[in-house]
Amino acid sequence: MIRAGIIGATGYTGYELVQIFERHPEVQVVFATSESYAGKCYAEVYPCPYNQRLIALDQAPLNQVDVVFLCTPHGTSALLAQQVLDAGARCIDLSADFRLRDVAVYEKWYKPHPVPGLLPEAVYGLPEVYASQIAEARLIANPGCYPTGPLLALYPLLQAGIIQDQRLILDAKSGVSGAGAAPSPKTHFVNVHDNLSVYNAGHSHRHVPEIEQELQRFAGRHVRVVFTPHLLPVSRGILTTIYITVDPSVQASDIVALWQKAYAGQPCVHILPAGETATLAHTVYTNRCALSLTSAGAEGEFILVTSIDNLIKGASGQAVQNMNLMFGLNQTLGLIV
Amino acid sequence: MIRAGIIGATGYTGYELVQIFERHPEVQVVFATSESYAGKCYAEVYPCPYNQRLIALDQAPLNQVDVVFLCTPHGTSALLAQQVLDAGARCIDLSADFRLRDVAVYEKWYKPHPVPGLLPEAVYGLPEVYASQIAEARLIANPGCYPTGPLLALYPLLQAGIIQDQRLILDAKSGVSGAGAAPSPKTHFVNVHDNLSVYNAGHSHRHVPEIEQELQRFAGRHVRVVFTPHLLPVSRGILTTIYITVDPSVQASDIVALWQKAYAGQPCVHILPAGETATLAHTVYTNRCALSLTSAGAEGEFILVTSIDNLIKGASGQAVQNMNLMFGLNQTLGLIV
Amino acid sequence: MIRAGIIGATGYTGYELVQIFERHPEVQVVFATSESYAGKCYAEVYPCPYNQRLIALDQAPLNQVDVVFLCTPHGTSALLAQQVLDAGARCIDLSADFRLRDVAVYEKWYKPHPVPGLLPEAVYGLPEVYASQIAEARLIANPGCYPTGPLLALYPLLQAGIIQDQRLILDAKSGVSGAGAAPSPKTHFVNVHDNLSVYNAGHSHRHVPEIEQELQRFAGRHVRVVFTPHLLPVSRGILTTIYITVDPSVQASDIVALWQKAYAGQPCVHILPAGETATLAHTVYTNRCALSLTSAGAEGEFILVTSIDNLIKGASGQAVQNMNLMFGLNQTLGLIV
Amino acid sequence: MIRAGIIGATGYTGYELVQIFERHPEVQVVFATSESYAGKCYAEVYPCPYNQRLIALDQAPLNQVDVVFLCTPHGTSALLAQQVLDAGARCIDLSADFRLRDVAVYEKWYKPHPVPGLLPEAVYGLPEVYASQIAEARLIANPGCYPTGPLLALYPLLQAGIIQDQRLILDAKSGVSGAGAAPSPKTHFVNVHDNLSVYNAGHSHRHVPEIEQELQRFAGRHVRVVFTPHLLPVSRGILTTIYITVDPSVQASDIVALWQKAYAGQPCVHILPAGETATLAHTVYTNRCALSLTSAGAEGEFILVTSIDNLIKGASGQAVQNMNLMFGLNQTLGLIV
């Protein structure tokens, strides 16, 4: 039985973790912390029957757990990760603090890194790409919600060197839970419902450097993205439409073959057959990533569509998938795929 | 041309008024005030092209307008109403401050009334019932969003004395705009979308005394309501399902006949034919109130269903309807019916 | 390992069963039939990765399974149930064919019963009430989606004899999946979205006799319901608001105590603490039924609110709960509670 | 008073026309036809109080009207247009039959054109571009819903010759009313709600040749589009995200200046100030087209976002705008802008 702790357990990713662990046969949640709700039980915070009592962070017995999930904001997470590791537990950080390998890039997009010394050992937790490093890691940087789908769509293609674009257009659409549980005009029902809006378009969203970092590792060359996040009137799910150009000799079947080879035996990647297109419904409430391919109407031009559930494969489900790998379990244990 | 002012113009009822006045041929908006957005133009607050510049309340030229709409909270409205009347303008208050004729009832549900001396002259602004008083009024208490539909459904029936219930069950369902524009957990998209919840059920919602006051006036006897508001995952609209018992000799056609007689020539009341039931779609984005009747399965038992748009017939549209009556215009001028 | 078959596997209840069995550790789906999609695999019908091949009904090896789930329409189910039992398997029927114990009532609301001889042995599959009979049953009549919540809310109260009403008002609100997967004007997105409508109100919905039958068994006396189903703009979930009158000496805490006693140890019933009200969010995507209680504002008058997921606790989840009981398993195995 | 007829009045565009004409001061609807609902009144078809009686097409007095709106499918419209013109009325066709100037292109995307002889005199009804021709026209080809926004966004830029792309990516998102009122799996609530899907992506949607035709006229050169329509879980509205490359010396302010010059005095085009982005909420329920501009993160790279209401500026509102121009009225008469 893996003994787990959750810090920051009353945000959406914390709630999702608690729900997953309710049905995970090998995890016992030893503690869950919340600054706002310490002393309350979980059922008083979310519409559920869970009796888990929330405690304050300083009461958390870090030395009595095997792994800690950090559902805390960037900046805060890095300091906590150090404490967790010092206490002898492994750490899965759902914030951005360890995703960017280059501290200078981190500091350009965020602020001074509180614990830069930990960056070198952090492993980027994309299981379909980095499984062996994840298995050995003490510290996992769980990917952002937006990057996961596009990275899985593009990884085999960039590795194979077939993509010609220097600049990739990613037109992304996300549900509102991606904006977090804090009330704001942006998350007010009346502003979102029946609406569609664009925010942080171009090269300004903080997931841009994370996406570019990984794409460049896959490709071994410079790649730039144009990234346009849209806010959808749904609670969950991200669908990303990606426009690529390849050598005109490359056929759709070649691309699908690359996907199939890269993800053979991977239970969380669902490659759709020709003629079908990924939708949110393919993945919400599961830990799947769906991939599909369509011709853009000219030789060598294709449209990739990929979807995930932003809270599961885009956050807490992927964190559990990482944990499963770290502890030698079947990677989908406790997950719906 | 009627010169109008709007105080508190950046809440939902203020925005709705501004939209109506954009197409009202006989109204010029002389000023619109906002404490939060003074100095900005309307297009910076809502997704619209309106150039109207918002001003601070203390800059509002009350003596240069014919009528002022108060879209301010209860407590605040009463004091402003006095100022408006003192400046020589007529006043339509969309808050609760002048809806309850009995100051003791007001003070039980709210707090001490700031200007109780104005209560006697306030007219309850339900045009289909009180048109002649409205025409003469200086001060209108615009009805609450929840009361409007049930009052119109029950008015002719209580007047005719056919309803036997001492206690009426009103099962009401409202869209989220009824909760106002302020962000809160209650209005967070993720909490409302795909959900349905009950709040202030029984006898605890502040619209209860307003409904009971009017029902008792219509009936000339004591009437109690059990009122269960539900929050719907829609932005606009209220549908109320009402359970009544009448003398077994009363037929459905008798009830419809009472409605037809009471609302003959009333452009904003839409009485559905037998076999059809009012839906939100019958009324949203219009100033209509839809009424329908269904047998509850036994003689003398009926279900009334009524719907309105909470921001139009339930607030700003009804306010404009009142204004039209006050200034001798066609009561639907500028309104969609 | 329980060998299961699903007949009519491509409606919503069939799809939900397939999803549940994907994570149920003790069930193997031996066959799934579909008239429309025979020959296709499941992933071609629903947005999922399941490879289960659909077969025509006449190819179904009824004698190779332990249990068959009938997701077929009333009228059809009864005949199939006979075949299933003849082949030696147990049968869980999700249609209405065996819910009404009195064939005359069935024939009043439906049409002549195809296999009336099976009615006496059918067990009404409400596990929290009839667990011991379910465990022994060959043939289960799985409850309708609307009855489940109100029956669980009212069962302990009627058994205790505290409810005074001869006539109970049930104001019910359901998501669209309750209307089935067949396209129609009623299920067209534009007609449902942003709308709320009433249908089959009063005493005309086919779940009325089922509700009344069970309430009368609980109470040991005649009980009539006024039942008003509303169609909500959500995909899943039913919330029912019930108005009851009890002896004025009965307190809220007495009612909650009755619930707690009746459902002690029942993992699928979630009784909310005083002051909280059941919402759809308490139960969707789970096999829970939530119960809550509010004062209606006068002594002895209460409002019960109950919610379930119509496809899970209201259909396929409850069917699996019944199956678990029939085969001696933990009743929530494979279910999310 | 303009005497108007509507053929095919019970689809969504017909209903929208009827709603607009309810408040248009200069139009009298002389007839409205429907094959399915002939003999019924409008209130029996849609949730509204309109008493307009629907008639069969062969009863329509074409010679008693000044203008006929064809809300009929392509193929059917062309033949009706000929009859309308022969009867002496002017004709506004909302189908695709007269949008493509080159009959060969039409026949590639549709089928043989029934009345190719009328093509030369048809005017493409985009009022902000072709106002003078529209004013004189007997026959208007009302634009498709998808083309309107992108054409208005790109027209001044292509005319000025600043766009360098040979291939323009248009990532479009539409509400469900664009799919029409006929029930189908594609429009079933459960399939659309909480979902986002892509259809006819690349170069396969029938609005592609229409968009390319007009872009090429604006640019005076070959332009290809990659067009990816997404189906949004909303009833109304289209938002299109367009990726363009211009000479690096061109600044955002230059582009806005081109828009402002082209659309000076145009009441239906809403150019957003720098820093704001068009949303559906800017335009739904109005005849506006919103335009906004964002940097794509590199010199010379921009993202245009444009939104309209697909049933108003994308169909019936634009048709009325065309009619107003044809009859010498203010182009926004009866429209909400």
Side-chain angles (χ1 to χ4, degrees), chain A residues 124-174:
Chain A
Y124 190 72
L126 192 62
E128 287 77 13
V129 176
Y130 300 116
S132 58
Q133 296 102 304
I134 290 166
E136 306 299 323
R138 282 205 311 166
L139 174 58
I140 296 288
N142 213 60
C145 56
Y146 277 120
T148 294
L151 293 182
L152 291 175
L154 292 165
Y155 165 59
L157 283 49
L158 287 169
Q159 264 218 330
I162 64 165
I163 291 186
Q164 298 184 332
D165 309 87
Q166 302 301 309
R167 186 196 68 156
L168 286 163
I169 290 175
L170 278 57
D171 196 281
K173 299 90 176 174
S174 173

Side-chain angles (χ1 to χ4, degrees), chain A residues 126-130 152 155 263 266 268-269 313 318 321:
Chain A
L126 192 62
E128 287 77 13
V129 176
Y130 300 116
L152 291 175
Y155 165 59
Y263 301 125
Q266 285 296 352
C268 300
V269 178
K313 184 62 178 167
Q318 187 142 272
Q321 192 181 356

